Amino acid sequence: MKPPVATLLSALLAASAAHAAAAPVPAPATQVARTSAEVLAGSAPSDWRTPDPQNTLYLELTAGRVVIEMAPEFAPHHVANVAALARGGYFDGLAIVRAQDNYVVQWADPDAKKPVGAAQRTVNAEFERPLRGLTLVRLPDPDTYAPEVGFIDGFPVAADPSVGRAWLVHCYGMVGAGRDNDVDSGGGTEIYAVIGQAPRHLDRNVTLFGRVLAGMDLLSVLPRGGGALGFYEHAGERVPIKSLRVAADVPAAQRTELEVLRTDTPTFQAYLAARRNRTEEWFKVPAGHVDVCNVPVPVRKRHAPVAAGGRSAG
Amino acid sequence: MKPPVATLLSALLAASAAHAAAAPVPAPATQVARTSAEVLAGSAPSDWRTPDPQNTLYLELTAGRVVIEMAPEFAPHHVANVAALARGGYFDGLAIVRAQDNYVVQWADPDAKKPVGAAQRTVNAEFERPLRGLTLVRLPDPDTYAPEVGFIDGFPVAADPSVGRAWLVHCYGMVGAGRDNDVDSGGGTEIYAVIGQAPRHLDRNVTLFGRVLAGMDLLSVLPRGGGALGFYEHAGERVPIKSLRVAADVPAAQRTELEVLRTDTPTFQAYLAARRNRTEEWFKVPAGHVDVCNVPVPVRKRHAPVAAGGRSAG
């Protein structure tokens, strides 16, 4: 059950190398034992990427804004359809209709009758995709559910190389398209976000298409519904949605400018090492491992304007 | 990474056997494929146990009651000390001082000065205990963090047989005693409950002594604190605690009478099988595995009075 020592050493050495780059004369004690805060503090601007506003959603609630990054590499048709629904104003005035403790919140048209405009009401399932063409930043740790797990562009991903397939993983904050029993009955008119222990049994059973970058606590604190599956029993309990918009359609001055830590860098390897074996003084027994859903990929307010000709979203 | 087929078959056969006992002429299709709801509906009264009121706590908030079962097999000194603190009225009038999203809520004396009466202010760490004397109902699935995981008396447990040690696991709803950097600085004057993705890196680093049986959603919806680690920044944000009492000290008519599914039974094996491979029509790809923190041990209102001479808590 333990990862090969060589793998652990490799991660530690990657951390060490990253640290050496940031601080030419590191103290030996910190060379292989940085905290995640230290790793992030020592990161370079190039360790961060700016999400593409065309693939970013703003869910506007009375309490504030939830920012969702979509994953067109994994669910291109759902991403396009949710954007079309948003652009048609489908969600404006609808509501969060369900909050099930330790599971999901979900928003939808309570009557399931609102016209979808130029969008489609349903989209065929995008539960998984070919592994080919993807570069999984793999965790060395054993996973309960999948042969391989890791990260791609900040998203938690599982893969089965024996069949050449990959899929997004139901971690805290992941966003998907609810469906009925028919696998092709989803499409984005019902959207859920995970607010509890990773429901990994949903992996490959429903289309994930994004993850919450900011405002997660606006969803996680919502009163749980008293009905079956956490549905609110009375219309008055529902949480109104002011709007769901594509960030690119929002005036620049009104956008939430975020950066996401790149997951294909030595800095991310150092961050993984710090998550795997906490070195803060408080910790006495290093875990030696980390679950893919226990690696929240860091997000921060963008602290410098993007220079002309600078990096586009990646 | 996949469990042996024989292990899966064994679990399925256990489910089948349990079902056969409940329904003499089961349909072949359901014989090896019951849902967890069906398993629970077919359970016998002897599949359930009544928690010992001496090891049960009632955390009374304005919003309602949180019921916590303590685990003296794993943390006897913490359990005794928390009971002593409760009996001395230590927590009455204190507050929930911290709510960190996807992590923990914590209650304590904000001033850390209230006298502890007949209790102790600190208790030596009880992070783990000898495996000997315990019967772990083991999961066949690989665990990211520990050589073995499973259940004992409804509590999630990890074990390392190579060193003969066992410990409680930080799943959703688990309750522990906060501490400072000194491992022996806890004891129960600060208590936390897990409200997010299982923080397994805390395992063996802090003393867990119980789990929430009911009222978890009273904790999980609390507004998150804006300070570091989710501490509330202003006294007015704190969530008042009316009282923390030992259930045995509460008049019988005012108790919350609960039953917990036994975890040492064929019925629990059938429940595990149903959690591992969901057979509800909605599911298309069975996970084939289950994480120890994705098996919420069922709790229900006690639906029949305990007969004289009936089972005591177990």
Side-chain angles (χ1 to χ4, degrees):
Chain A
M1 303 297 291
K2 295 182 186 303
V5 170
T7 308
L8 265 181
L9 275 179
S10 163
L12 288 169
L13 288 172
S16 170
H19 186 269
V25 191
T30 61
Q31 197 164 8
V32 294
R34 286 193 298 161
T35 67
S36 52
E38 289 166 348
V39 170
L40 297 181
S43 65
S46 59
D47 286 322
W48 300 80
R49 66 181 175 81
T50 301
D52 184 349
Q54 293 288 354
N55 286 326
T56 303
L57 299 173
Y58 293 158
L59 175 68
E60 306 283 359
L61 306 175
T62 307
R65 174 180 287 176
V66 180
V67 182
I68 298 165
E69 181 176 18
M70 297 194 288
E73 276 195 302
F74 284 86
H77 298 104
H78 280 75
V79 166
N81 201 53
V82 169
L85 287 165
R87 289 190 156 122
Y90 179 79
F91 291 99
D92 305 357
L94 295 185
I96 295 174
V97 295
R98 174 189 181 194
Q100 184 171 1
D101 196 53
N102 193 25
Y103 204 49
V104 298
V105 296
Q106 187 167 314
W107 54 99
D109 172 17
D111 303 318
K113 287 181 179 170
K114 187 165 179 176
V116 297
Q120 295 172 260
R121 188 161 290 281
T122 62
V123 172
N124 286 352
E126 296 174 299
F127 298 166
E128 54 178 44
R129 57 151 283 165
L131 179 56
R132 197 169 63 166
L134 298 176
T135 302
L136 181 66
V137 177
R138 215 188 138 181
L139 284 176
D141 311 293
D143 181 74
T144 299
Y145 293 89
E148 293 188 357
V149 289
F151 294 88
I152 295 175
D153 291 338
F155 289 93
V157 173
D160 184 350
S162 73
V163 295
R165 308 297 288 177
W167 56 94
L168 293 174
V169 168
H170 277 85
C171 295
Y172 188 85
M174 289 295 286
V175 175
R179 66 164 173 85
D180 297 327
N181 283 345
D182 180 343
V183 293
D184 296 327
S185 60
T189 57
E190 296 181 8
I191 297 177
Y192 66 93
V194 174
I195 60 162
Q197 175 70 23
R200 296 284 305 275
H201 56 285
L202 298 180
D203 291 357
R204 290 185 287 173
N205 278 288
V206 60
T207 300
L208 288 168
F209 68 86
R211 79 171 182 112
V212 174
L213 297 184
M216 190 59 208
D217 59 350
L218 302 179
L219 300 176
S220 59
V221 303
L222 293 177
R224 301 340 187 199
L229 304 175
F231 278 92
Y232 294 120
E233 293 176 287
H234 309 289
E237 297 176 294
R238 294 175 191 145
V239 180
I241 291 175
K242 291 161 72 176
S243 66
L244 182 74
R245 290 180 292 177
V246 176
D249 299 345
V250 172
Q254 294 170 29
R255 293 187 198 161
T256 302
E257 301 290 1
L258 299 175
E259 292 183 320
V260 181
L261 191 70
R262 284 179 180 273
T263 47
D264 58 351
T265 61
T267 293
F268 185 69
Q269 288 298 321
Y271 177 76
L272 283 178
R275 294 289 297 183
R276 187 174 286 110
N277 290 300
R278 311 290 176 110
T279 55
E280 293 87 348
E281 186 189 352
W282 187 89
F283 286 92
K284 306 305 173 188
V285 178
H289 306 276
V290 72
D291 187 279
V292 66
C293 291
N294 251 325
V295 183
V297 175
V299 176
R300 67 179 185 187
K301 287 268 170 71
R302 197 164 71 197
H303 64 308
V306 173
R311 283 180 297 111
S312 66
Chain B
M1 304 297 289
K2 295 184 185 306
V5 169
T7 308
L8 265 181
L9 275 179
S10 162
L12 289 169
L13 288 172
S16 170
H19 186 269
V25 191
T30 60
Q31 196 165 10
V32 294
R34 286 195 296 162
T35 67
S36 52
E38 289 166 347
V39 170
L40 297 181
S43 66
S46 58
D47 286 321
W48 300 80
R49 66 180 173 84
T50 302
D52 184 349
Q54 294 287 353
N55 286 325
T56 303
L57 300 172
Y58 293 159
L59 176 67
E60 305 283 359
L61 306 175
T62 308
R65 174 181 287 175
V66 180
V67 181
I68 298 166
E69 181 177 18
M70 298 194 287
E73 275 195 303
F74 284 87
H77 298 104
H78 280 75
V79 166
N81 202 52
V82 169
L85 286 164
R87 289 193 157 119
Y90 179 78
F91 291 99
D92 305 359
L94 296 184
I96 294 174
V97 295
R98 174 189 182 195
Q100 184 171 1
D101 196 53
N102 194 23
Y103 204 49
V104 298
V105 296
Q106 187 167 314
W107 54 100
D109 172 16
D111 304 317
K113 287 181 179 169
K114 188 165 177 176
V116 296
Q120 295 172 258
R121 187 162 291 280
T122 63
V123 171
N124 285 353
E126 295 176 301
F127 297 167
E128 53 178 44
R129 58 151 284 167
L131 179 56
R132 198 169 60 165
L134 296 177
T135 302
L136 181 66
V137 177
R138 214 186 138 182
L139 284 176
D141 311 293
D143 181 73
T144 299
Y145 293 89
E148 294 188 357
V149 288
F151 294 88
I152 295 176
D153 291 339
F155 290 93
V157 173
D160 185 350
S162 74
V163 295
R165 306 297 289 177
W167 56 92
L168 292 174
V169 168
H170 277 84
C171 296
Y172 187 84
M174 289 295 285
V175 176
R179 67 165 172 85
D180 298 327
N181 284 345
D182 180 343
V183 293
D184 295 328
S185 61
T189 59
E190 297 180 8
I191 297 177
Y192 65 94
V194 174
I195 61 163
Q197 176 70 22
R200 295 285 304 277
H201 55 286
L202 298 180
D203 291 357
R204 290 185 289 174
N205 277 289
V206 60
T207 300
L208 289 168
F209 68 85
R211 79 170 182 112
V212 174
L213 297 184
M216 190 59 208
D217 59 350
L218 302 179
L219 300 176
S220 59
V221 302
L222 293 176
R224 300 341 186 199
L229 304 177
F231 278 93
Y232 294 120
E233 294 177 286
H234 308 290
E237 297 175 295
R238 294 176 190 144
V239 179
I241 291 175
K242 293 163 69 176
S243 66
L244 182 74
R245 292 180 290 176
V246 177
D249 299 345
V250 173
Q254 294 170 29
R255 293 187 198 160
T256 302
E257 301 289 1
L258 300 175
E259 292 183 321
V260 181
L261 192 70
R262 285 179 179 273
T263 48
D264 58 351
T265 60
T267 294
F268 185 69
Q269 288 299 321
Y271 177 75
L272 284 177
R275 294 290 297 183
R276 188 174 286 110
N277 290 300
R278 311 290 176 113
T279 55
E280 293 88 348
E281 186 188 352
W282 187 89
F283 286 92
K284 306 305 173 187
V285 179
H289 307 275
V290 72
D291 188 279
V292 66
C293 291
N294 252 325
V295 183
V297 176
V299 176
R300 68 179 184 186
K301 288 267 170 72
R302 196 163 73 198
H303 64 309
V306 173
R311 284 180 296 110
S312 66

